[in-house]
Amino acid sequence: MNKILKEKIVEALSSVLPITLIVLLLSITITPMPVGTLVLYLVGAVLLIVGMAFFSLGTDVSMTPMGEGIGAQLPRTKNLFAVVGITFVIGVLITIAEPDLQVLAGQVPSIPNAVLIWTVAIGVGLFFVLAMLRTLFKIRLASLLIVFYIGVLILSAFVPNEFVAVAFDSGGVTTGPITVPFIMALGIGLASIRGDRDAQDDSFGLVALCSIGPILAVLLLGIFYKGGDPGYTAVTVPEVEDTKQVAKLFAYSLPEYVHEVLSALIPIILFCAVFQLVFHRFHRMQLKKIGIGFGYTFFGLSLFLTGVNVGFMPVGHFLGKQLAQSGHSWLLVPLGMLIGYFLVTAEPAVHVLNRQVENITNGGVSQRAMMHSLSIGVACSVGLSMLRVLTGISIYWIVIPGYLLALGLTFFVPKIFTGIAFDSGGVASGPMTSTFLLPFAMGACEALGGNVLTDAFGIVSMVAMTPLLTIQILGLLYHRKMRRTNEAAQSAAEEEEEIIVLEEEEQHA
């Protein structure tokens, strides 16, 4: 276990170090930063590295086997209504448990947090049921995506502009570090009992469909809820004078995030306990291992959230504001792209997805190729988001062509890559996006005098959209490579056969 933990720490260090160095470089060049704020950021980076390592280890040991076990067991239950009910409850529970959703809910204070959270949770629960039924009854993923995304775009025309960006953002934040490992593992478990040749392809796509439910739910909330105009809570950069104050700030904040993670994990653990009592899926040693894994997950996620919320969120806001006021506001676009390229590597759920893809494709799509594709996609999305902050152009001008192009590519891309691509969109927009990139955009927008709700919000949905394109393009390249490899192998086999025939003819002569 110690060896695996060391590997996870090295992986986390390589993920967090690039963005840390970029911020350090900016702090001594374009955006001079108070020493106290910089120390906050560095301590946050350390907590990120340790937290990500333990979280990653914990999900491998607990969330993944538990999700696969539930996914394999559910279809064996003869009562379809019971399966639907259980799936809906799972979807609601894991969504309420998602820390990113708490962050988004806090940004829209005119809607009570509970109203927004339950709206999103019900949306995820309903579409989780749909995703489960799609896997069991072999419904084509691309068809469902086309129908529902067209429905989203039509419905958004009847919603106040302030709600549109929040709705699209809600689809991204619900698929974070708690949700993704569990949903993806459950998808693999569901597909494993089918045994047909398309089962592997259908193991992906659950995250993709679960990202649509919250968008539709919040759009409907925007139409019917009369709670006043949506607002937002501005990020404040704490003033700290020495390292003792930094330590106090983290010490005071840690219990809050420990409570948040504990309240998120307890419903899932209780559900898993009831599942085990009913179905007796796991033996004693497996349960012990899963219990230890949940402990690692709890410890890692508590440190991770404390690091990003206390250390990264205020620095993101500070950087965005300072860059906008530097007299070279156009730098927001290239620097935003650079930050986005490296920031996605620090998303915990991204590593979970990449490992699953490499395992399912037997190494045909490597973690490295997935990470490069995601990084390019997120870099483009942050660049476009900064362009929106500078110009105030509507999110529709980017989201509608982007989704139409992504849906169009589904007709040309291998089936498995459609699921991987749309899953990647939700996975890329995790806690790093909501606690660093969103404050970064808000800080820049405030400094430029823009409308934060229409110009800064939406960056999460942009981060969730562009991987749909880059991963599907990766799928096209992979398909071409495999076709050329097969053609070369076939040609070599034919040549070898011809040589054998010639040799036989010579022997007869």
Side-chain angles (χ1 to χ4, degrees), residues 4 39-40 113 122 135 184 224 227 271-272 290 300 308 331 343 356 365 369 373 376 398 416 423 432 444 481 506:
I4 299 173
V39 173
L40 272 179
N113 286 12
I122 290 170
T135 304
M184 291 201 66
F224 296 109
F271 177 86
C272 293
I290 288 170
V308 295
L331 285 173
L343 195 73
Q356 296 277 31
V365 181
S373 300
I376 291 169
I398 301 170
I416 190 171
D423 281 356
M432 293 299 292
K481 179 184 174 183
E506 287 177 1

Coordinates of all heavy atoms in Angstrom, one line a residue, residues 4 39-40 113 122 135 184 224 227 271-272 290 300 308 331 343 356 365 369 373 376 398 416 423 432 444 481 506:
I4 N 2.1 2.0 -3.5 CA 1.0 2.6 -4.3 C 0.7 4.0 -3.9 O 0.6 4.9 -4.8 CB -0.3 1.8 -4.2 CG1 -0.1 0.3 -4.6 CG2 -1.5 2.4 -5.0 CD1 -1.3 -0.6 -4.3
V39 N 1.6 32.7 0.2 CA 1.8 31.6 1.1 C 0.5 30.8 1.3 O 0.6 29.5 1.3 CB 2.2 32.1 2.5 CG1 2.3 31.0 3.6 CG2 3.6 32.8 2.4
L40 N -0.6 31.4 1.3 CA -1.9 30.7 1.3 C -2.0 29.8 0.1 O -2.4 28.6 0.2 CB -3.1 31.7 1.2 CG -3.7 32.3 2.4 CD1 -4.8 33.3 2.1 CD2 -4.2 31.2 3.4
N113 N -30.1 27.6 -1.3 CA -29.2 26.5 -1.6 C -29.9 25.2 -1.7 O -29.7 24.4 -2.6 CB -28.1 26.4 -0.6 CG -27.1 27.5 -0.7 OD1 -27.3 28.5 -1.4 ND2 -25.9 27.4 0.0
I122 N -32.5 15.9 -8.3 CA -33.6 15.2 -9.0 C -33.3 15.1 -10.5 O -33.6 14.0 -11.0 CB -34.9 15.9 -8.7 CG1 -35.3 15.8 -7.2 CG2 -36.0 15.4 -9.6 CD1 -36.5 16.7 -6.8
T135 N -28.2 1.4 -21.0 CA -27.2 0.4 -21.0 C -27.8 -1.0 -21.1 O -27.4 -1.9 -21.8 CB -26.3 0.5 -19.7 OG1 -25.7 1.8 -19.7 CG2 -25.2 -0.5 -19.8
M184 N -19.0 5.8 -13.1 CA -18.3 5.1 -14.1 C -18.1 3.6 -13.7 O -18.3 2.7 -14.6 CB -16.9 5.7 -14.3 CG -17.0 7.1 -14.9 SD -15.5 7.5 -15.7 CE -15.3 6.3 -17.0
F224 N -40.0 28.7 -13.8 CA -41.1 28.7 -12.8 C -40.8 29.3 -11.5 O -41.7 29.7 -10.8 CB -41.6 27.2 -12.6 CG -42.1 26.6 -13.9 CD1 -41.4 25.6 -14.5 CD2 -43.4 27.0 -14.4 CE1 -41.9 25.0 -15.7 CE2 -43.9 26.4 -15.5 CZ -43.2 25.4 -16.2
G227 N -38.1 33.8 -7.4 CA -37.4 34.2 -6.2 C -36.6 35.4 -6.3 O -35.8 35.8 -5.5
F271 N -26.0 3.7 2.2 CA -26.7 3.0 1.1 C -25.9 1.7 0.8 O -26.5 0.6 0.5 CB -26.7 3.9 -0.1 CG -27.3 3.2 -1.3 CD1 -28.7 3.2 -1.5 CD2 -26.5 2.5 -2.3 CE1 -29.2 2.5 -2.6 CE2 -27.0 1.9 -3.4 CZ -28.4 1.9 -3.6
C272 N -24.6 1.8 0.7 CA -23.8 0.6 0.4 C -23.9 -0.5 1.5 O -23.9 -1.7 1.2 CB -22.3 1.0 0.3 SG -21.9 2.0 -1.1
I290 N -12.7 -2.1 1.4 CA -13.6 -1.0 1.0 C -13.7 0.0 2.1 O -13.7 1.2 1.9 CB -15.0 -1.6 0.6 CG1 -14.8 -2.3 -0.8 CG2 -16.0 -0.4 0.4 CD1 -16.1 -3.1 -1.2
G300 N -8.5 12.3 2.1 CA -8.0 13.0 0.9 C -8.8 14.1 0.4 O -8.4 15.2 0.1
V308 N -8.1 23.8 -2.1 CA -8.6 24.6 -3.2 C -9.5 25.8 -2.8 O -9.5 26.9 -3.4 CB -9.4 23.7 -4.2 CG1 -8.5 22.7 -4.9 CG2 -10.6 23.1 -3.6
L331 N -4.1 39.9 -22.3 CA -3.3 38.8 -21.8 C -4.2 37.7 -21.1 O -3.7 36.6 -20.9 CB -2.2 39.3 -20.8 CG -1.0 39.9 -21.4 CD1 -0.1 40.5 -20.3 CD2 -0.2 39.0 -22.3
L343 N -4.3 23.2 -15.6 CA -5.2 23.1 -14.4 C -6.0 21.8 -14.5 O -6.2 21.1 -13.4 CB -6.1 24.3 -14.3 CG -6.9 24.4 -13.0 CD1 -5.9 24.9 -11.9 CD2 -8.0 25.4 -13.1
Q356 N -9.7 4.4 -16.4 CA -10.8 3.5 -16.9 C -10.8 3.3 -18.4 O -11.0 2.2 -18.9 CB -12.2 4.1 -16.5 CG -12.4 4.2 -15.0 CD -13.0 2.9 -14.4 OE1 -12.6 1.9 -14.9 NE2 -13.8 3.0 -13.4
V365 N -6.1 3.4 -26.1 CA -6.1 4.8 -25.8 C -5.4 5.0 -24.5 O -5.9 4.7 -23.4 CB -7.6 5.3 -25.8 CG1 -7.5 6.8 -25.5 CG2 -8.3 5.0 -27.0
A369 N -2.5 10.1 -23.9 CA -3.3 10.7 -25.0 C -4.6 11.4 -24.6 O -4.9 12.4 -25.0 CB -3.6 9.6 -26.0
S373 N -5.5 15.4 -24.9 CA -6.7 15.9 -25.5 C -7.6 16.7 -24.6 O -8.1 17.7 -25.0 CB -7.5 14.6 -26.0 OG -6.8 13.9 -26.9
I376 N -5.9 20.2 -24.1 CA -6.1 21.1 -25.3 C -7.5 21.6 -25.3 O -7.8 22.8 -25.5 CB -5.8 20.3 -26.6 CG1 -4.3 20.0 -26.7 CG2 -6.3 21.1 -27.8 CD1 -3.9 19.1 -27.8
I398 N -21.2 30.5 -28.7 CA -20.1 29.5 -28.6 C -20.7 28.1 -28.3 O -20.4 27.1 -28.9 CB -19.1 29.9 -27.5 CG1 -18.5 31.2 -27.8 CG2 -18.1 28.8 -27.3 CD1 -17.7 31.8 -26.7
I416 N -17.6 3.9 -29.0 CA -17.1 4.0 -27.6 C -16.5 5.4 -27.4 O -16.6 5.9 -26.3 CB -15.9 2.9 -27.4 CG1 -15.5 2.9 -25.9 CG2 -14.7 3.2 -28.3 CD1 -14.6 1.8 -25.6
D423 N -18.5 11.8 -21.5 CA -18.2 11.6 -20.1 C -17.0 12.6 -19.7 O -17.0 13.2 -18.6 CB -17.7 10.2 -19.9 CG -18.9 9.2 -19.7 OD1 -20.0 9.7 -19.8 OD2 -18.6 8.0 -19.6
M432 N -11.5 22.1 -9.3 CA -10.5 23.1 -9.7 C -11.1 24.1 -10.6 O -10.7 25.3 -10.5 CB -9.3 22.4 -10.4 CG -8.5 21.5 -9.6 SD -7.7 22.3 -8.2 CE -6.5 23.3 -9.1
A444 N -11.8 39.0 -13.2 CA -11.5 39.8 -14.4 C -12.7 40.6 -14.8 O -12.6 41.7 -15.2 CB -11.1 38.8 -15.5
K481 N -5.8 5.2 -37.3 CA -4.6 4.4 -37.0 C -4.8 2.9 -37.0 O -4.0 2.1 -37.5 CB -4.0 4.9 -35.6 CG -2.8 4.1 -35.1 CD -2.4 4.6 -33.7 CE -1.3 3.8 -33.2 NZ -0.9 4.2 -31.8
E506 N 8.1 -23.6 -56.6 CA 9.5 -23.8 -56.9 C 9.9 -25.2 -56.5 O 10.7 -25.9 -57.2 CB 10.4 -22.8 -56.2 CG 10.4 -21.4 -56.8 CD 11.2 -20.4 -56.0 OE1 11.8 -20.8 -55.0 OE2 11.2 -19.2 -56.4

